[in-house]
């Protein structure tokens, strides 16, 4: 079993989004200390990019209201980038005050979802994030761009891949170094995921594409497997499969970090992640949330280790 990372440089970079995308959706508050412990355990497991919170309006996403305290208290390891979501200039101010080195702006590829999530249309969202990206870059802060609903929208239904390609290009032209393609509601299948990434890779470099698949319909691993041959090397994942989206009812978590690591190591692709240490993070957060995580790999390994 390929549980352990080998010593080569990672061929695939995993962006751990559990502390943000995962915990933003919890109904009960999660304390600063618990978030900090989770993030520290994830960095000790070998994750090199950890999305640790968001500087958004607390009225919209109360779970992220303590992000400044989280950034204050985490042990910042060399070589690990701790990132945060930022919707506007006010959010950027918060990120700068918390010495965040990399931010993510987030847009959707349907007007309906955009209205629900950030209270503006797609066109307005581009106009809104432009000054945020410029101001961040001027301060030496790297910017990632997210696009939501790339394989289907809970309100608008099917999405034309050309819309996703065009918005991806706009984000890169604006100065984002990477675009994360979010299947927010997890409806995509492998053929659709492949076609989408192929079309987006016609307008930006495949090295600028990350995939962000929620596992609502159980398709996330298949979708990742389908896009790897196109040259995708950045994958967003969440420990224990945490998550959902407050503005996409019924959406379950991101694909579990443990499941992706298990698949990639089985394909002899190095991630730099130590599965045993990752299981420590899984155990910790599952205990704190009072329920087992949804990672099939973690549940199998933990149960085998208990017996
Ligand atoms: P709005 O209500 O239109 O904004 O919200 P506003 O400018 O009118 O401000 C309203 C209030 O919020 C004001 O306070 C502002 O000061 C405050 P009041 O005067 O009423 O007391 N405010 C803020 N406070 C703290 N930080 C800020 C901030 N901005 C305004 N940055 C806004 C517009 C964009 C702010 C709001 O809609 C928002 O915060 N939305 C965030 C939604 C969100 O976080 N969604 C989840 C993340 S996206 C996601 O999960 C998808 C992803 O994972 C990819 C995928 O899966 O597809 C990334
Ligand atoms: Mg998400």
């Amino acid at each position: 079993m390929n549980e352990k990372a080998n010593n080569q440089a990672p061929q695939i970079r995993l962006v751990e989004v559990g502390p943000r995308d995962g915990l933003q959706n919890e109904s009960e508050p999660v304390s600063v200390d618990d978030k900090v412990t989770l993030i520290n355990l994830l960095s000790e497991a070998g994750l090199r990019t950890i999305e640790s919170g968001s500087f958004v309006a607390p009225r919209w996403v109360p779970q992220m209201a303590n992000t400044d305290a989280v950034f204050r208290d985490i042990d910042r390891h060399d070589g690990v980038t701790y990132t945060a979501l930022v919707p506007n200039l006010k959010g950027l101010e918060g990120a700068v005050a918390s010495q965040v080195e990399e931010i993510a702006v987030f847009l959707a590829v349907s007007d309906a979802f955009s209205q629900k999530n950030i209270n503006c249309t797609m066109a307005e969202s581009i106009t809104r994030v432009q000054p945020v990206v410029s101001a961040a870059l001027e301060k030496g802060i790297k910017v990632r761009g997210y696009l939501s609903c790339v394989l289907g929208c809970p309100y608008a239904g099917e999405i034309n891949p050309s819309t996703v390609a065009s918005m991806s290009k706009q984000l890169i032209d604006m100065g984002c170094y990477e675009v994360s393609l979010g299947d927010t509601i997890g409806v995509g299948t492998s053929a659709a995921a492949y076609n989408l990434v192929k079309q987006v890779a016609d307008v930006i470099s495949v090295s600028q594409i990350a995939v962000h698949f929620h596992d609502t319909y159980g398709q996330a691993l298949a979708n990742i497997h389908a896009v790897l041959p196109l040259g995708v090397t950045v994958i967003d994942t969440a420990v224990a499969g945490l998550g959902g989206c407050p503005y996409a009812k019924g959406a379950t978590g991101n694909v579990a970090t443990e499941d992706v690591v298990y698949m990639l190591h089985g394909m002899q692709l190095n991630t730099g992640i130590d599965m045993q240490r990752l299981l420590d993070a899984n155990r910790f957060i599952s205990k704190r949330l009072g329920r087992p995580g949804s990672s099939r790999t973690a549940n199998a390994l933990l149960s085998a280790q208990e017996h």
Side-chain angles (χ1 to χ4, degrees):
M1 199 181 303
N2 289 286
E3 282 183 35
K4 286 218 162 165
N6 59 37
N7 292 325
Q8 295 163 359
Q11 294 154 292
I12 304 284
R13 179 166 67 93
L14 297 191
V15 175
E16 170 61 49
V17 298
R20 192 283 303 174
D21 204 355
L23 298 184
Q24 75 180 8
N25 209 42
E26 287 299 317
S27 47
E28 296 297 317
V30 179
S31 71
V32 170
D33 282 356
D34 285 347
K35 289 182 179 178
V36 167
T37 302
L38 174 64
I39 293 165
N40 289 344
L41 286 168
L42 290 165
S43 62
E44 285 158 21
L47 270 313
R48 289 291 164 265
T49 311
I50 306 178
E51 201 170 75
S52 303
S54 48
F55 293 90
V56 297
R59 195 146 41 87
W60 284 67
V61 184
Q63 278 289 13
M64 291 292 114
N66 52 15
T67 294
D68 54 344
V70 171
F71 272 90
R72 183 193 63 210
D73 290 352
I74 46 178
D75 296 333
R76 298 194 196 211
H77 290 251
D78 284 346
V80 180
T81 306
Y82 301 90
T83 71
L85 252 57
V86 162
N88 52 17
L89 285 166
K90 187 176 168 87
L92 180 63
E93 268 173 42
V96 169
S98 289
Q99 294 167 320
V100 175
E101 298 162 58
E102 178 179 323
I103 61 160
V105 293
F106 52 106
L107 288 67
V109 294
S110 91
D111 279 326
F113 190 86
S114 186
Q115 288 288 3
K116 298 269 182 202
N117 197 34
I118 50 175
N119 207 17
C120 64
T121 63
M122 287 156 69
E124 285 163 352
S125 71
I126 291 277
T127 313
R128 187 192 278 175
V129 297
Q130 221 144 19
V132 178
V133 176
S134 304
L137 293 176
E138 265 169 36
K139 291 179 192 304
I141 297 173
K142 281 176 79 179
V143 187
R144 185 179 212 232
Y146 268 112
L147 290 176
S148 285
C149 300
V150 297
L151 290 169
C153 170
Y155 313 105
E158 275 187 32
I159 298 296
N160 191 332
S162 66
T163 307
V164 183
S166 150
M167 284 190 81
S168 298
K169 175 102 172 61
Q170 290 182 69
L171 284 172
I172 293 295
D173 289 348
M174 216 185 269
C176 293
Y177 77 95
E178 177 173 285
V179 177
S180 176
L181 302 177
D183 183 11
T184 317
I185 53 170
V187 288
T189 56
S190 57
Y194 180 91
N195 285 333
L196 176 72
V197 171
K198 200 158 179 297
Q199 286 206 39
V200 176
D202 282 342
V203 296
I204 64 174
S205 163
V206 74
S207 64
Q208 295 170 313
I209 300 176
V211 290
H212 178 109
F213 294 141
H214 285 253
D215 203 27
T216 318
Y217 285 74
Q219 303 298 302
L221 276 185
N223 293 348
I224 292 168
H225 196 268
V227 301
L228 286 174
L230 292 168
V232 170
T233 57
V234 187
I235 303 169
D236 297 359
T237 64
V239 64
L242 293 172
C245 175
Y247 298 101
K249 285 234 169 320
T252 62
N254 289 90
V255 66
T257 311
E258 302 88 325
D259 295 359
V260 174
V261 168
Y262 186 81
M263 179 180 82
L264 294 175
H265 289 187
M267 297 168 75
Q268 308 303 318
L269 289 170
N270 189 31
T271 61
I273 291 163
D274 181 327
M275 180 68 92
Q276 285 307 320
R277 306 290 292 266
L278 187 56
L279 291 179
D280 293 340
N282 175 303
R283 243 190 306 254
F284 170 78
I285 195 62
S286 302
K287 191 163 177 213
R288 280 295 191 274
L289 298 178
R291 58 168 197 271
S294 63
S295 163
R296 304 276 290 268
T297 294
N299 293 345
L301 291 171
L302 289 169
S303 135
Q305 289 172 10
E306 273 164 24
H307 294 106

